Amino acid sequence: MRLHLILTSLLGYVCYLSSATALTYKLHAHDFACFFAHAQEKGLKIAFYFAVQSGGSFDVDFSVVGPNEKTILEGTKERQGDYVFTAKEIGEYRFCFNNEMSTFAEKMVDFEISVENESKDAKLPSKQGTSPEQTSALEESILKVSRDLSTINRNQKYFRTRENRNMSTVKSTESRIFNFSVMESLLMISMAGLQVFIVRFFFQGARKGATQVSTFLPSNENM
């Protein structure tokens, strides 16, 4: 029963502290896409993470715009980013990705938008008869677990990004090697056909010359 209470408290406390959205989006060439997060009060911490998994040079333009249309963050040709800022205004914050620089390359972008409430007024549900010291120790344990989970999550994102980029590089290299091999084979076949044509042309020319010479030479009977 006590374990059940602790797990329920952990889940409720973490859900209260943050709300996050993690997505994978395919950004087409000349595409411009925006996503939104709502801050219900001032002082909230908004975390923004993104990484280009595949496509082109693994870079993209991005911008973060506040409710008052003021640019908070922006960057060009960025491969990945991890930012945290404080919401100074209540309203919707716009997170945009711009791939208008690409002529034909599609980009696969992983991103996460998290709105975190760091209010110290939040209290865990405590069992009747539990001392404040025990509740405080439980809060510290939950926060430590939350920090450790965040670290593990970031490491997983980092290794996933590296794996996807390396896989994309391998596929691109494989495609180039295959295309080069096909072009080399076609070139070799063309060169072989050209050599056969040239040799046949020389032999046919020599045969015609020998026939003409034999026609003009007088035979022994006429002499």
Side-chain angles (χ1 to χ4, degrees):
M1 184 67 183
R2 185 177 179 182
L3 179 60
H4 181 268
L5 176 62
I6 294 176
L7 293 177
T8 305
S9 302
L10 174 61
L11 180 60
Y13 191 67
V14 171
C15 291
Y16 175 81
L17 285 179
S18 65
S19 60
T21 299
L23 294 173
T24 300
Y25 183 78
K26 179 182 286 188
L27 199 63
H28 298 280
H30 303 289
D31 195 6
F32 183 85
C34 291
F35 304 87
F36 300 87
H38 185 77
Q40 298 181 354
E41 59 184 64
K42 295 182 180 180
L44 297 181
K45 295 294 183 180
I46 300 179
F48 175 50
Y49 168 84
F50 75 92
V52 181
Q53 302 293 336
S54 63
S57 300
F58 306 102
D59 56 359
V60 70
D61 298 343
F62 77 97
S63 62
V64 180
V65 183
N68 54 359
E69 296 299 324
K70 181 180 179 180
T71 301
I72 300 174
L73 297 169
E74 64 178 347
T76 57
K77 295 184 178 181
E78 297 287 343
R79 291 192 169 191
Q80 66 183 56
D82 194 356
Y83 306 95
V84 178
F85 61 92
T86 302
K88 297 181 179 180
E89 300 290 337
I90 300 175
E92 284 189 337
Y93 288 79
R94 187 167 71 247
F95 303 81
C96 298
F97 297 103
N98 188 353
N99 195 31
E100 294 179 351
M101 61 180 176
S102 297
T103 305
F104 58 89
E106 296 180 346
K107 308 290 178 64
M108 189 70 70
V109 182
D110 275 0
F111 67 95
E112 181 177 353
I113 303 171
S114 177
V115 181
E116 301 178 355
N117 187 354
E118 294 187 347
S119 175
K120 299 300 183 180
D121 297 333
K123 297 297 181 180
L124 286 174
S126 58
K127 188 177 180 180
Q128 186 176 4
T130 304
S131 63
E133 291 77 9
Q134 292 177 341
T135 304
S136 178
L138 181 58
E139 289 180 355
E140 292 178 0
S141 300
I142 291 174
L143 291 176
K144 184 179 183 301
V145 171
S146 178
R147 288 192 296 267
D148 292 341
L149 288 176
S150 298
T151 302
I152 294 173
N153 188 25
R154 292 180 185 276
N155 290 335
Q156 287 179 337
K157 290 178 181 177
Y158 171 74
F159 287 115
R160 180 186 177 188
T161 299
R162 288 195 58 181
E163 180 184 4
N164 291 336
R165 288 179 179 175
N166 292 337
M167 181 60 67
S168 178
T169 302
V170 169
K171 290 182 179 180
S172 177
T173 304
E174 181 183 4
S175 177
R176 293 180 182 180
I177 293 176
F178 176 77
N179 294 334
F180 180 77
S181 301
V182 172
M183 292 177 59
E184 185 179 12
S185 301
L186 293 177
L187 182 61
M188 292 178 63
I189 294 174
S190 300
M191 290 294 296
L194 181 62
Q195 290 177 356
V196 171
F197 175 78
I198 293 175
V199 171
R200 290 187 61 184
F201 177 78
F202 283 158
F203 275 99
Q204 288 178 357
R207 185 179 300 174
K208 289 181 180 179
T211 303
Q212 292 177 358
V213 171
S214 62
T215 303
F216 287 107
L217 286 177
S219 60
N220 295 331
E221 295 179 357
N222 294 333
M223 294 179 64

